């Protein structure tokens, strides 16, 4: 259980440095280039999850894994909304949506979500052997 949770945590931390968003002229951005505050929040949640892993508390790890999933979902929505807002100077709504569509999501999100899901689902129930030996 601990090893899988640690693997998930490492995937989340490594995923923050992987390309997450591609802007055509500028290039690929990771979590730190997207927003420093969201990246710091991601690392704080990860540090709290380390506390849960070290103390064998699956509830803490699961809680912060869920918070990480919510943070990643919020970031995805914020990226799409910000790209629409960035092209708001264009006169037609269809042009805004077309130009906002050139901002694409990259493969780093798969690593981020995989790590968070591993943290959430690796803390399965501990099966206690209640057999008595004669």
């Amino acid at each position: 259980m601990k090893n899988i949770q640690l693997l998930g945590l490492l995937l989340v931390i490594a995923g923050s440095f992987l390309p997450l968003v591609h802007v055509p002229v500028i290039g690929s951005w990771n979590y730190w280039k997207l927003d420093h505050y969201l990246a710091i929040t991601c690392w704080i949640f990860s540090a709290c999850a380390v506390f849960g892993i070290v103390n064998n508390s699956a509830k803490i790890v699961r809680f912060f894994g869920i918070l990480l999933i919510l943070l990643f979902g919020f970031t995805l929505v914020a990226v799409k909304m910000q790209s629409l807002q960035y092209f708001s100077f264009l006169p037609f709504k269809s042009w805004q949506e077309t130009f906002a569509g050139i901002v694409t999501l990259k493969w780093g999100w798969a690593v981020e979500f995989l790590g968070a899901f591993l943290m959430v689902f690796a803390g399965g129930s501990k099966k206690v052997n209640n057999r008595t030996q004669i």
Side-chain angles (χ1 to χ4, degrees), residues 72-106:
F72 298 151
F74 170 76
T75 306
L76 287 173
V77 170
V79 164
K80 286 301 182 181
M81 296 301 289
Q82 186 65 29
S83 64
L84 282 171
Q85 182 70 24
Y86 187 72
F87 293 106
S88 65
F89 67 91
L90 294 172
F92 300 111
K93 184 90 170 159
S94 63
W95 290 4
Q96 292 174 7
E97 292 171 358
T98 302
F99 279 99
I102 63 173
V103 176
T104 57
L105 301 176
K106 298 296 278 185

XYZ file of all heavy atoms in Angstrom, residues 72-106:
288
model
N -6.552 19.661 -9.864
C -6.231 19.463 -11.280
C -7.437 19.756 -12.161
O -7.305 20.348 -13.236
C -5.727 18.040 -11.530
C -4.460 17.705 -10.787
C -4.185 16.398 -10.412
C -3.548 18.680 -10.441
C -3.037 16.072 -9.735
C -2.389 18.366 -9.751
C -2.133 17.064 -9.395
N -8.617 19.345 -11.726
C -9.833 19.658 -12.474
C -10.076 21.156 -12.539
O -10.429 21.697 -13.593
N -9.888 21.844 -11.404
C -10.025 23.296 -11.384
C -9.027 23.952 -12.336
O -9.359 24.900 -13.053
C -9.818 23.820 -9.958
C -9.712 25.316 -9.884
C -10.838 26.103 -10.006
C -8.481 25.928 -9.701
C -10.748 27.487 -9.939
C -8.380 27.295 -9.631
C -9.512 28.082 -9.754
N -7.807 23.449 -12.359
C -6.788 24.012 -13.238
C -7.156 23.820 -14.701
O -6.953 24.730 -15.521
C -5.420 23.374 -12.949
O -5.124 23.511 -11.557
C -4.326 24.030 -13.762
N -7.689 22.658 -15.046
C -8.100 22.429 -16.434
C -9.194 23.404 -16.858
O -9.145 23.971 -17.958
C -8.581 20.991 -16.617
C -7.509 19.914 -16.609
C -8.147 18.540 -16.628
C -6.586 20.089 -17.787
N -10.175 23.593 -15.991
C -11.249 24.541 -16.297
C -10.690 25.960 -16.392
O -11.051 26.728 -17.292
C -12.369 24.450 -15.233
C -13.366 25.574 -15.378
C -13.057 23.100 -15.318
N -9.777 26.314 -15.491
C -9.191 27.650 -15.503
C -8.369 27.899 -16.763
O -8.398 29.008 -17.319
C -8.321 27.852 -14.269
N -7.664 26.884 -17.244
C -6.879 27.034 -18.474
C -7.796 27.294 -19.658
O -7.538 28.193 -20.478
C -5.999 25.781 -18.719
C -5.484 25.728 -20.147
C -4.847 25.754 -17.745
N -8.870 26.542 -19.760
C -9.807 26.749 -20.869
C -10.491 28.107 -20.782
O -10.650 28.798 -21.789
C -10.850 25.620 -20.917
C -10.291 24.324 -21.421
C -9.744 24.519 -22.821
C -9.219 23.220 -23.375
N -8.658 23.378 -24.711
N -10.898 28.509 -19.587
C -11.549 29.810 -19.421
C -10.573 30.954 -19.708
O -10.941 31.957 -20.326
C -12.123 29.945 -18.010
C -13.216 28.955 -17.696
S -14.621 29.062 -18.790
C -15.315 30.598 -18.270
N -9.331 30.793 -19.276
C -8.337 31.833 -19.504
C -7.993 31.951 -20.978
O -7.768 33.053 -21.477
C -7.073 31.559 -18.684
C -6.053 32.656 -18.739
C -6.543 33.945 -18.122
O -7.362 33.934 -17.219
N -6.051 35.064 -18.610
N -7.966 30.838 -21.687
C -7.682 30.914 -23.116
C -8.834 31.591 -23.861
O -8.600 32.337 -24.816
C -7.418 29.523 -23.691
O -8.558 28.706 -23.590
N -10.069 31.380 -23.432
C -11.200 32.108 -24.022
C -11.121 33.598 -23.688
O -11.403 34.451 -24.535
C -12.528 31.530 -23.528
C -12.992 30.237 -24.176
C -14.194 29.675 -23.428
C -13.325 30.451 -25.636
N -10.735 33.911 -22.475
C -10.614 35.302 -22.055
C -9.467 36.004 -22.784
O -9.549 37.186 -23.097
C -10.390 35.362 -20.542
C -10.293 36.742 -19.966
C -11.628 37.451 -19.985
O -12.678 36.812 -19.999
N -11.595 38.757 -19.987
N -8.407 35.270 -23.063
C -7.236 35.850 -23.713
C -7.565 36.355 -25.114
O -7.005 37.356 -25.568
C -6.122 34.800 -23.763
C -4.815 35.338 -24.269
C -4.049 36.188 -23.482
C -4.337 34.992 -25.521
C -2.848 36.680 -23.934
C -3.129 35.485 -25.987
C -2.398 36.327 -25.185
O -1.206 36.823 -25.644
N -8.469 35.669 -25.800
C -8.841 36.058 -27.160
C -10.175 36.805 -27.194
O -10.839 36.847 -28.228
C -8.922 34.821 -28.063
C -7.588 34.172 -28.275
C -7.273 32.981 -27.641
C -6.648 34.761 -29.090
C -6.048 32.387 -27.832
C -5.408 34.176 -29.285
C -5.107 32.984 -28.653
N -10.546 37.443 -26.111
C -11.823 38.150 -26.063
C -11.830 39.426 -26.908
O -12.884 39.995 -27.161
C -12.185 38.486 -24.621
O -11.247 39.391 -24.087
N -10.661 39.878 -27.368
C -10.608 41.076 -28.193
C -11.130 40.834 -29.610
O -11.435 41.782 -30.328
C -9.174 41.623 -28.255
C -8.219 40.720 -28.979
C -8.008 40.847 -30.340
C -7.523 39.734 -28.289
C -7.124 40.013 -31.000
C -6.644 38.903 -28.940
C -6.435 39.039 -30.307
N -11.258 39.565 -29.997
C -11.754 39.254 -31.334
C -13.249 39.564 -31.415
O -13.986 39.350 -30.458
C -11.490 37.786 -31.665
C -10.009 37.413 -31.779
C -9.854 35.906 -31.906
C -9.355 38.113 -32.946
N -13.714 40.061 -32.576
C -15.099 40.550 -32.649
C -16.174 39.462 -32.634
O -17.289 39.720 -32.205
C -15.127 41.330 -33.961
C -14.035 40.753 -34.779
C -12.982 40.309 -33.813
N -15.850 38.259 -33.111
C -16.878 37.226 -33.212
C -16.580 36.093 -32.237
O -15.436 35.704 -32.027
C -16.950 36.671 -34.633
C -17.272 37.723 -35.668
C -16.324 38.124 -36.587
C -18.528 38.308 -35.692
C -16.615 39.094 -37.520
C -18.833 39.272 -36.627
C -17.872 39.681 -37.550
N -17.649 35.575 -31.655
C -17.529 34.490 -30.670
C -16.899 33.240 -31.292
O -16.112 32.545 -30.654
C -18.924 34.178 -30.113
C -18.940 33.149 -29.039
C -18.787 33.803 -27.712
C -19.054 32.780 -26.631
N -18.489 33.166 -25.385
N -17.227 32.951 -32.549
C -16.666 31.765 -33.204
C -15.153 31.905 -33.387
O -14.428 30.923 -33.283
C -17.347 31.526 -34.556
O -17.103 32.613 -35.431
N -14.680 33.125 -33.641
C -13.237 33.342 -33.757
C -12.552 33.149 -32.404
O -11.467 32.574 -32.334
C -12.940 34.740 -34.277
C -13.298 34.980 -35.700
C -13.926 34.131 -36.561
C -13.050 36.172 -36.429
N -14.092 34.722 -37.773
C -13.557 35.992 -37.720
C -12.472 37.398 -36.109
C -13.483 36.962 -38.701
C -12.387 38.362 -37.081
C -12.887 38.154 -38.366
N -13.210 33.615 -31.344
C -12.648 33.453 -30.004
C -12.491 31.971 -29.663
O -11.451 31.548 -29.157
C -13.552 34.120 -28.963
C -13.612 35.615 -29.044
C -14.637 36.200 -28.089
O -15.210 35.481 -27.266
N -14.869 37.489 -28.195
N -13.524 31.204 -29.967
C -13.478 29.770 -29.665
C -12.446 29.057 -30.519
O -11.771 28.135 -30.062
C -14.858 29.155 -29.855
C -15.866 29.632 -28.829
C -17.280 29.189 -29.132
O -17.488 28.530 -30.179
O -18.180 29.505 -28.340
N -12.306 29.478 -31.776
C -11.332 28.854 -32.667
C -9.915 29.118 -32.180
O -9.087 28.202 -32.102
C -11.504 29.371 -34.108
O -12.830 29.089 -34.539
C -10.506 28.723 -35.037
N -9.620 30.373 -31.861
C -8.275 30.694 -31.398
C -7.994 30.127 -30.005
O -6.854 29.777 -29.704
C -8.045 32.205 -31.426
C -7.689 32.720 -32.783
C -8.650 33.309 -33.587
C -6.404 32.595 -33.267
C -8.330 33.776 -34.846
C -6.073 33.062 -34.526
C -7.042 33.660 -35.327
N -9.001 30.049 -29.176
C -8.818 29.432 -27.862
C -8.572 27.928 -28.000
O -7.926 27.328 -27.146
C -10.024 29.687 -26.977
N -9.067 27.335 -29.073
C -8.866 25.906 -29.316
C -7.442 25.540 -29.686
O -7.067 24.377 -29.617
N -6.628 26.533 -30.072
C -5.241 26.217 -30.416
C -4.384 26.001 -29.173
O -3.283 25.487 -29.261
C -4.618 27.289 -31.338
C -4.547 28.637 -30.635
C -5.356 27.378 -32.643
C -3.792 29.696 -31.429
N -4.888 26.402 -28.017
C -4.220 26.107 -26.752
C -4.609 24.679 -26.381
O -5.759 24.397 -26.059
C -4.640 27.107 -25.651
C -4.014 26.725 -24.324
C -4.287 28.519 -26.048
N -3.669 23.768 -26.485
C -3.976 22.344 -26.300
C -3.381 21.816 -25.000
O -2.377 22.317 -24.504
C -3.419 21.512 -27.468
O -2.013 21.724 -27.577
C -4.089 21.898 -28.771
N -4.037 20.792 -24.481
C -3.550 20.109 -23.287
C -2.550 19.040 -23.711
O -2.697 18.410 -24.748
C -4.714 19.485 -22.532
C -5.804 20.446 -22.073
C -6.939 19.681 -21.419
C -5.253 21.484 -21.126
N -1.542 18.822 -22.896
C -0.494 17.864 -23.216
C -0.597 16.618 -22.332
O -1.453 16.501 -21.470
C 0.886 18.523 -23.036
C 1.134 19.718 -23.954
C 1.145 19.330 -25.397
C 2.500 18.788 -25.743
N 2.674 18.490 -27.134
